[in-house]
Each structure stands twice: as C-alpha cells, then as structure tokens.
Amino acid sequence: MATETPPPTQSPARLPSTEEFTEVQQSAEFGELRRAHRSFAFPLTIAFAAWYLLYVLLSNYAGDFMGTKVAGHINVALVLGLAQFLTTFLIAWWYARRAAARLDPRAEAIKSRMEGGA
C-alpha cells in the first residue's frame, strides 16, 4: 500500500539572495556560531585521530604489550580496539547533545531570519 506525503501546510520559504548570504556569513552572529562549532569539533577530531594513531602504532610496534592478557583470551589489543568503537559513539552522542543545545538554536535563528526576510 503506497502512501503519499501530505502537502506542506505552509508556503515555501523565501530564498535569500546571494548578497544576503554574504551579509550573514560576514556577521558577528554567524562568526560566533562557527567559533562555537570549531572550538568543539576540531579539538575532538584531533584527539580522536591521535587516539586512533596511538592504537595503530601500538599494534605495529608494541606487540608484546598489545598481546598482554587482561582476562581469559581477552588481551589489551582487543580492549583498545573495542574502546575505539566506544569512543566513536560517545563523541557522536556528545556532539549531538551539544549541537542541539548550543548550535542548532543559533543556526535556526539565522535561518528563520533569512527566510523571513527580517
């Protein structure tokens, strides 16, 4: 059974001009939004890349350490490998929460002002 999406209840938003985009891009408000994003995303990206490279280097050059048994057949390499997945999901979750609380409201305010022409 196919269903159709109902038509939008609002009229389409007004598309801003190129000049308006440029003006907003150069505004202090947009600059602050970019700084808020970068001050969170860049350090975490660098930290995660360093963590990943540490794991790769340990795997290549510290085989005895990585082969150390932790419990039963579980060794340090397996624990650190699984920690890679855990940190990936934690960073994504942390970023989503932070963006929803601090970035999205600012971005939505800019967007609605641009689409509304205010």
Side-chain angles (χ1 to χ4, degrees), residues 24-47:
V24 167
Q25 183 181 15
Q26 295 171 352
S27 70
E29 183 182 24
F30 187 76
E32 180 54 37
L33 176 61
R34 284 178 37 180
R35 271 188 297 286
H37 168 71
R38 288 178 177 177
S39 68
F40 185 77
F42 286 179
L44 273 179
T45 301
I46 291 167

Side-chain angles (χ1 to χ4, degrees), residues 35-94:
R35 271 188 297 286
H37 168 71
R38 288 178 177 177
S39 68
F40 185 77
F42 286 179
L44 273 179
T45 301
I46 291 167
F48 185 80
W51 160 227
Y52 175 75
L53 290 174
L54 174 67
Y55 177 74
V56 171
L57 290 172
L58 287 173
S59 295
N60 283 320
Y61 300 110
D64 292 338
F65 170 70
M66 295 295 270
T68 303
K69 301 282 185 189
V70 175
H73 294 293
I74 298 172
N75 61 18
V76 171
L78 180 62
V79 171
L80 292 180
L82 292 174
Q84 292 283 317
F85 287 99
L86 179 63
T87 55
T88 300
F89 291 114
L90 286 175
I91 289 170
W93 171 78
W94 189 17

Side-chain angles (χ1 to χ4, degrees), residues 3-27:
T3 59
E4 291 186 29
T5 305
T9 56
Q10 299 175 351
S11 62
R14 180 186 72 82
L15 295 177
S17 67
T18 305
E19 293 79 20
E20 289 172 308
F21 274 113
T22 304
E23 182 181 319
V24 167
Q25 183 181 15
Q26 295 171 352
S27 70

